[in-house]
Amino acid sequence: MSGDVPGRRYRGRMRILHTGDWHLGRTLLGADLLEHQAAFTDWLVDLARERAVDLVVIAGDVYDRAIPPVDAVRMLSRVLERLAETTTVVLTPGNHDSAARLGFGAGVMGQRVRILAEPAHVADPVLVADDDGPVAVYGIPYLHPDLTRYALAAVPDEPLARSHHAVVHAATERIRTDLATRAGTRSVVVAHAFVGGADPSDSEQDIRVGGVDRVAESVFDGFDYVALGHLHGPQRVGDDGRIRYAGSPLAFSFGERHQRKSVTIADLDAAGAVTVELVPTPVPRRLVDVRGSIDAIESGEFRADADAWVRVAVTDTVHPERMYARVKDHFPHALAITHEPADRPAATAARAVTATSDPVEVAGDFVAFATGGLPDDDERAVLTEAYEAAVLALQREGDR
């Protein structure tokens, strides 16, 4: 077994705890989430021990940015150290992480914590054994096409197509080639990507290149379990349940307020069949939208939501005196307070801009606003090129 947990007995399956998208260091409309993220990691360590987990896989976006705050780095160090006391941990970077920084020291870490951050080594698995034999665990970090289309090309100097599908497909082809040499070995792939057919939230970072951000589900054919990261809503991809997003452990926007956050426990039997259980994660505070007059707010009509993180829309016709202070008296954890008169004439609907909006379309809307006409094909090509160059520059800067 991969972990020496008192009382562990043979179950006839390997138990995998799949999580990801922790975004350590993130805030929610200015509210510091680090304390709540610490509570989640403490809970995760206890869960791994209580459920006799053999393998923990963390599918990217461990940090919220390439250069994370010191407290977030310390938190990750502590949780990996504690998990390694009882289980094996495999971690791969996401698009928010700097692969170089997250992967620092990967070569000298013990066998219990493995960080798979190098695109060139996607076909080098971590082998974890149970009583039924070995399981090969492969890590596919977030692959930016412009940074990996040469490195993953089958023929030198003949780069892959400039798309997420092309580079992820090339990575999985390498993995399939290696797996074919390991007769009787079960397989787990940990990947950070946007797979077609899955539902995004409004807080995930746009990763479009060439106007496309998705890879086909078929690139993961032939693997027993695929542990995905990037999308924040827990969900399966396809019909057989072997390809899944664990989702984020906390809500990172009001658009995620109705998601039931969880981690995934996947039991892999001797034949490679998977049984999945979703374990709800702790909820630090509910996210609630409140809409009403200042009198209704002060009357206690919404008192059940007093301890929640709330967005408050005050609907009085006239802006109430001391509106902000009066709302905060009743909602001390209010994150947004706006005045939206109920009788305001309907305005032309504006398209909301979220993390899932196409940045080139948003820029095109601005061009239309500023000039009175939508950009033509040539102008749109310039906008696309400028956006993708900016994203690439940020990715390279994060890896310096």
Side-chain angles (χ1 to χ4, degrees):
M1 288 291 192
S2 62
D4 300 318
V5 177
R8 171 171 287 175
R9 55 188 174 83
Y10 175 59
R11 294 184 303 266
R13 60 187 182 272
M14 176 169 287
R15 176 154 289 171
I16 302 163
L17 196 163
H18 167 201
T19 181
D21 293 282
W22 293 0
H23 291 276
L24 299 180
R26 189 161 185 155
T27 60
L28 174 63
L29 295 180
D32 188 351
L33 296 177
L34 210 58
E35 175 185 349
H36 305 295
Q37 291 170 326
F40 161 72
T41 57
D42 288 343
W43 173 87
L44 186 78
V45 171
D46 291 340
L47 179 69
R49 177 178 289 274
E50 292 167 4
R51 301 296 294 273
V53 167
D54 299 289
L55 171 67
V56 174
V57 294
I58 307 173
D61 282 356
V62 181
Y63 296 131
D64 191 53
R65 53 186 183 271
I67 304 178
V70 171
D71 286 345
V73 176
R74 289 175 176 156
M75 185 182 300
L76 180 62
S77 178
R78 285 195 300 270
V79 69
L80 293 180
E81 180 180 353
R82 295 175 63 199
L83 285 170
E85 293 173 358
T86 59
T87 189
T88 298
V89 184
V90 175
L91 183 157
T92 193
N95 56 293
H96 279 255
D97 302 307
S98 162
R101 289 187 174 88
L102 189 60
F104 171 77
V108 296
M109 286 188 175
Q111 291 299 305
R112 290 301 193 103
V113 177
R114 305 296 299 275
I115 300 177
L116 306 182
E118 293 291 338
H121 296 293
V122 292
D124 298 341
V126 174
L127 296 177
V128 185
D130 65 6
D131 291 355
D132 293 316
V135 174
V137 186
Y138 299 91
I140 303 178
Y142 168 67
L143 301 174
H144 191 294
D146 288 334
L147 298 178
T148 57
R149 55 199 291 255
Y150 284 89
L152 293 174
V155 179
D157 301 322
E158 292 185 16
L160 298 166
R162 189 169 175 263
S163 74
H164 288 283
H165 177 86
V167 293
V168 176
H169 181 263
T172 55
E173 283 294 286
R174 291 188 178 199
I175 292 171
R176 273 186 281 268
T177 298
D178 179 80
L179 188 60
T181 69
R182 304 176 185 275
T185 300
R186 293 162 290 167
S187 58
V188 173
V189 172
V190 187
H192 195 88
F194 191 167
V195 180
D199 295 323
S201 303
D202 65 353
S203 60
E204 295 126 5
Q205 189 177 71
D206 180 84
I207 58 171
R208 290 177 180 88
V209 173
V212 179
D213 55 2
R214 307 187 188 203
V215 303
E217 173 193 342
S218 60
V219 303
F220 296 108
D221 286 349
F223 305 123
D224 293 318
Y225 184 69
V226 180
L228 294 174
H230 181 58
L231 301 186
H232 293 176
Q235 59 195 288
R236 72 181 187 181
V237 179
D239 297 326
D240 57 14
R242 66 182 180 85
I243 306 175
R244 296 198 66 93
Y245 285 96
S248 62
L250 302 177
F252 294 124
S253 72
F254 275 83
E256 297 179 27
R257 67 190 182 279
H258 299 306
Q259 292 177 355
R260 189 177 185 186
K261 300 297 187 177
S262 60
V263 298
T264 301
I265 289 183
D267 286 337
L268 190 66
D269 71 13
V274 177
T275 303
V276 166
E277 176 188 359
L278 303 187
V279 182
T281 55
V283 179
R285 294 188 191 281
R286 295 176 300 116
L287 271 65
V288 177
D289 276 320
V290 169
R291 186 176 186 85
S293 68
I294 195 69
D295 286 343
I297 291 168
E298 293 185 324
S299 73
E301 179 179 334
F302 304 102
R303 65 170 58 92
D305 299 321
D307 196 44
W309 276 319
V310 295
R311 287 189 306 190
V312 181
V314 179
T315 59
D316 296 67
T317 301
V318 178
H319 192 291
E321 293 184 4
R322 301 178 52 254
M323 180 185 76
Y324 186 87
R326 291 163 71 183
V327 170
K328 289 289 281 187
D329 282 343
H330 293 271
F331 297 111
H333 305 291
L335 300 181
I337 301 171
T338 57
H339 180 226
E340 300 179 16
D343 58 352
R344 177 181 293 165
T348 302
R351 182 167 58 180
V353 177
T354 70
T356 60
S357 300
D358 184 338
V360 177
E361 290 184 4
V362 174
D365 289 344
F366 176 76
V367 170
F369 170 78
T371 68
L374 289 168
D376 59 26
D377 290 345
D378 290 340
E379 291 168 333
R380 186 176 177 83
V382 170
L383 292 173
T384 300
E385 182 179 354
Y387 166 69
E388 292 177 355
V391 171
L392 181 59
L394 287 172
Q395 187 80 24
R396 285 175 169 157
E397 182 66 24
D399 285 337
R400 286 183 181 176

